[in-house]
Amino acid sequence: MWLYQWSHRRYPYRNGLNCYVAPVYIAEITPMNLRGRFTSAHQFMLCSGISLMYFVGNVVSWRALALIGAIPSLLHVLGLFFIPESPRYLAKIGKHQELEASLQYLRGKKADISEEAAGIIDYTETFQHHSQGIFDLFQKRYALALTVGIGLMALQQFGGNTAIAFYAGSIFTDAGFSSSVGTISMAIIQIPAIVLSVLLTDKAGRRPLLLISAAGMCLSCLLLGLSFCFLGLNYLQGIAPSLVYIAIMVYTVTFMMGMAGLPWVIMSEIFPINVKGAAGSLVTMSNWSCCWIVTYTFNFMMDWSPSATFFIYAGICGLTILFVAKLVPETKGRTLEEIQASIAHFTQ
């Protein structure tokens, strides 16, 4: 029992670290024309793993499920011995020869990396001339990047995704719909939705997908709120369960298309190398803090008023549309150094 408690308490640390480090590493090693697709693929793998474990968990005990879940982790540990170090990290610590070797390995033996390597070194040296402490992160030059990073993470959570994902079974039950049918449908439908996001991220761009995603989430939450209002009306009570099912399916699809993974993609792109560690830690902490708030308050809000709960989430999703339209920069087709220099107003 003590071993179970020890591992259970430490899992969130590993999960929080992975949510931040993996997108950053992927963004730093991939070419700019594939960066969004590869970074979004991280979210796809997470969703696939969760869906797979959901189905496996229905046929095996929790002990067997824990052992099965340990297999990918062991493979992950072994794989870490064979992956190259990030070229941008090597530039940060001044190992330029290792940088070129790593970049050559990543781009292929015949690829010409001289221009890309020179750009990484030049921009990194520019960034390194500025302060690197966590308190220096709150300088005016980083205000926009911090606002975008923390804002997207907070809006991602306060838009209700954690509440709907964690409490979907009880939402379906309260609406009079089969919880097993509803939750299995959610597990299935999120896979093609996140695949669509992976395919479109580097073609359509980050901003359009975020805007479509937030709009779909807003309309879905409005429909959820109206559906719970209909439960109290005799002549509309019969269609309310089906409307709840439709609303949650649309919410799941639109969330997975944009707001699920793209905030992590953008977070991995906008912070300069000299503050990336401190900024990423702050943004990740903001995400999980907001996740806890939403998870903790959801049942109290549902006891107060189910319809008002989803109307509030709809309002926050509406604010997300405005936030993305006004503040979030498009990062498609630009190198990390170009994005970071422009958003923090650095000049070479």
Side-chain angles (χ1 to χ4, degrees):
M1 180 59 70
W2 69 267
L3 184 59
Y4 167 78
Q5 292 176 345
W6 180 86
S7 59
H8 183 72
R9 289 171 181 170
R10 278 151 184 79
Y11 180 79
Y13 297 102
R14 171 263 173 199
N15 196 38
L17 185 64
N18 181 62
C19 284
Y20 164 56
V21 174
V24 168
Y25 176 77
I26 295 169
E28 289 186 350
I29 67 170
T30 50
M32 64 179 181
N33 62 315
L34 297 173
R35 188 177 62 241
R37 190 174 301 176
F38 273 70
T39 313
S40 297
H42 173 249
Q43 185 69 27
F44 166 69
M45 299 305 294
L46 285 175
C47 292
S48 299
I50 291 170
S51 296
L52 177 62
M53 288 299 103
Y54 176 83
F55 289 112
V56 173
N58 285 322
V59 295
V60 300
S61 67
W62 68 267
R63 292 180 177 85
L65 186 65
L67 291 173
I68 293 171
I71 296 173
S73 297
L74 291 173
L75 293 174
H76 191 182
V77 171
L78 293 175
L80 290 175
F81 290 100
F82 300 96
I83 65 173
E85 183 57 85
S86 162
R88 287 165 173 89
Y89 173 75
L90 292 171
K92 180 183 178 181
I93 60 177
K95 295 185 176 182
H96 296 169
Q97 289 185 341
E98 289 85 347
L99 177 156
E100 293 179 0
S102 175
L103 200 58
Q104 193 73 68
Y105 177 82
L106 290 165
R107 301 293 181 263
K109 292 182 179 180
K110 297 182 179 180
D112 182 6
I113 60 157
S114 56
E115 184 177 348
E116 185 178 3
I120 292 173
I121 293 170
D122 289 345
Y123 274 106
T124 301
E125 289 176 350
T126 301
F127 296 147
Q128 289 288 80
H129 290 157
H130 297 267
S131 50
Q132 303 180 43
I134 188 168
F135 294 108
D136 297 317
L137 177 62
F138 299 99
Q139 295 177 26
K140 185 178 179 180
R141 68 166 67 246
Y142 305 121
L144 178 57
L146 271 181
T147 301
V148 170
I150 294 175
L152 281 176
M153 293 303 177
L155 291 167
Q156 180 197 63
Q157 296 298 336
F158 288 138
N161 88 87
T162 304
I164 291 175
F166 288 0
Y167 294 101
S170 63
I171 295 171
F172 285 123
T173 300
D174 291 345
F177 193 87
S178 170
S179 63
S180 59
V181 172
T183 52
I184 290 173
S185 298
M186 287 179 65
I188 293 173
I189 203 170
Q190 67 179 356
I191 302 300
I194 196 68
V195 169
L196 186 62
S197 175
V198 171
L199 295 176
L200 292 177
T201 298
D202 284 316
K203 292 183 178 180
R206 283 65 156 160
R207 278 169 52 88
L209 286 180
L210 284 172
L211 290 169
I212 293 170
S213 177
M217 292 164 63
C218 180
L219 293 175
S220 301
C221 287
L222 283 173
L223 183 56
L224 274 170
L226 290 172
S227 300
F228 277 96
C229 289
F230 294 165
L231 287 173
L233 304 174
N234 291 330
Y235 55 92
L236 292 173
Q237 198 173 49
I239 65 171
S242 297
L243 289 178
V244 168
Y245 175 78
I246 293 170
I248 291 182
M249 293 304 107
V250 173
Y251 184 97
T252 302
V253 169
T254 52
F255 174 72
M256 288 297 170
M257 281 182 60
M259 286 301 293
L262 290 182
W264 295 102
V265 174
I266 293 172
M267 180 275 295
S268 70
E269 295 175 324
I270 60 175
F271 294 113
I273 193 74
N274 60 311
V275 295
K276 183 169 286 188
S281 300
L282 181 61
V283 169
T284 304
M285 183 181 71
S286 301
N287 181 275
W288 288 106
S289 298
C290 294
C291 174
W292 177 84
I293 291 170
V294 171
T295 306
Y296 181 78
T297 58
F298 179 73
N299 281 327
F300 297 108
M301 293 175 68
M302 288 292 284
D303 290 340
W304 164 59
S305 173
S307 56
T309 298
F310 292 109
F311 287 145
I312 291 172
Y313 290 154
I316 294 172
C317 292
L319 290 175
T320 304
I321 298 173
L322 296 176
F323 182 86
V324 172
K326 294 293 185 181
L327 292 177
V328 177
E330 180 56 72
T331 58
K332 181 188 77 170
R334 303 166 68 190
T335 67
L336 291 180
E337 288 71 31
E338 291 171 347
I339 296 165
Q340 295 157 10
S342 64
I343 200 170
H345 306 294
F346 281 106
T347 56
Q348 283 186 281

